[in-house]
Amino acid sequence: EIVMTQSPATLSVSPGERATLSCRASHSVNSNLAWYQQKPGQGPRLLIYGASARATGIPARFSGSGSGTEFTLTISSLQSEDFAVYFCQQYKNWPPSTFGQGTKVELK
Amino acid sequence: EVQLLESGGGLVQPGGSLRLSCAASGFTFSNSAMSWVRQAPGKGLEWVSGISSGSSDTPYADSVKGRFTISRDNSKNTVYLQMNSLRAEDTAIYYCAKKESGAAPFDYWGQGTLVTVSS
């Protein structure tokens, strides 16, 4: 099973600032990496797939990069609606598909 | 608009059973693989089980293998999760999620249904 590790666990950011979230895979997943956003009381929403492609309707301030074992999600200028928990997921080797433990982006 | 609506959650005693349903609309259900993913209170996401479009492949997480059964009815656009021999550690919000066949992310998720296993 591929283990996904996210850092930091919590990121405190002010509106308008840049946020950088990291995700590391225990083995190479090539570019088979997705990022999701989850707000309280809601199911996750797909933001990024293929490590860098934005899903339908996702604003351009969200960008993904990386390949192999190291990945980054960048939110260029945080908006109020971006405060949420973000998960990465590998889908190269499944089953099982595995997720990181999440990064909470909170208001500084 | 893609919609996934889970139902069937509730309070059940340890050792009991529960059947979850997920009604899908807004896409060609019979062409899509589906999965169940759960989230224990305050925790991360754990993939539970998946089913291919034609039901030929039904993988399970080791934590539920032998206790849970996934199935689908393409005539009703619905996927099910039969959960038997429930344990306290199965307490979670259960989400159904849609994906394309092969190596693909979960592109749409439902709002989830809460399963609580407690005496």
Side-chain angles (χ1 to χ4, degrees):
Chain A
E1 175 177 318
I2 296 178
V3 178
M4 308 300 293
T5 304
Q6 291 185 241
S7 62
T10 303
L11 187 61
S12 299
V13 188
S14 299
E17 287 186 340
R18 182 185 193 93
T20 303
L21 290 67
S22 296
C23 176
R24 173 177 293 179
S26 61
H27 298 82
S28 175
V29 300
N30 298 333
S31 294
N32 295 297
L33 190 285
W35 290 94
Y36 300 88
Q37 177 192 67
Q38 187 179 32
K39 297 180 179 180
Q42 298 183 14
R45 177 175 71 147
L46 177 65
L47 297 176
I48 301 287
Y49 65 95
S52 61
R54 276 189 300 277
T56 303
I58 301 304
R61 64 180 181 273
F62 292 92
S63 64
S65 63
S67 67
T69 61
E70 301 283 343
F71 301 90
T72 300
L73 174 70
T74 301
I75 311 171
S76 59
S77 177
L78 263 156
Q79 307 296 303
S80 57
E81 61 267 29
D82 300 336
F83 292 101
V85 179
Y86 294 83
F87 294 96
C88 63
Q89 176 218 7
Q90 69 80 19
Y91 51 89
K92 173 180 181 285
N93 281 9
W94 93 293
S97 181
T98 47
F99 297 86
Q101 76 278 24
T103 291
K104 181 179 181 181
V105 176
E106 65 175 21
L107 182 62
K108 187 175 183 180
Chain B
E1 179 191 6
V2 172
Q3 289 193 334
L4 298 171
L5 184 61
E6 302 94 337
S7 61
L11 175 63
V12 61
Q13 292 187 340
S17 298
L18 215 52
R19 189 198 199 200
L20 306 183
S21 300
C22 171
S25 61
F27 63 100
T28 306
F29 181 77
S30 58
N31 288 348
S32 294
M34 302 295 294
S35 276
W36 288 95
V37 179
R38 68 185 180 184
Q39 187 171 34
K43 301 297 185 182
L45 299 167
E46 179 190 18
W47 172 82
V48 172
S49 181
I51 186 166
S52 59
S53 57
S55 303
S56 59
D57 293 328
T58 55
Y60 297 91
D62 287 345
S63 57
V64 306
K65 201 171 293 183
R67 300 188 298 124
F68 289 12
T69 302
I70 192 170
S71 61
R72 65 190 293 160
D73 186 338
N74 286 345
S75 69
K76 295 182 178 179
N77 285 3
T78 301
V79 60
Y80 305 97
L81 187 67
Q82 177 67 43
M83 303 186 296
N84 299 332
S85 303
L86 282 162
R87 307 166 180 167
E89 54 264 35
D90 296 318
T91 294
I93 297 172
Y94 285 73
Y95 297 101
C96 76
K98 164 190 172 295
K99 68 182 284 295
E100 299 305 314
S101 298
F106 298 119
D107 51 2
Y108 291 95
W109 299 63
Q111 293 292 312
T113 186
L114 177 62
V115 172
T116 303
V117 184
S118 175
S119 55

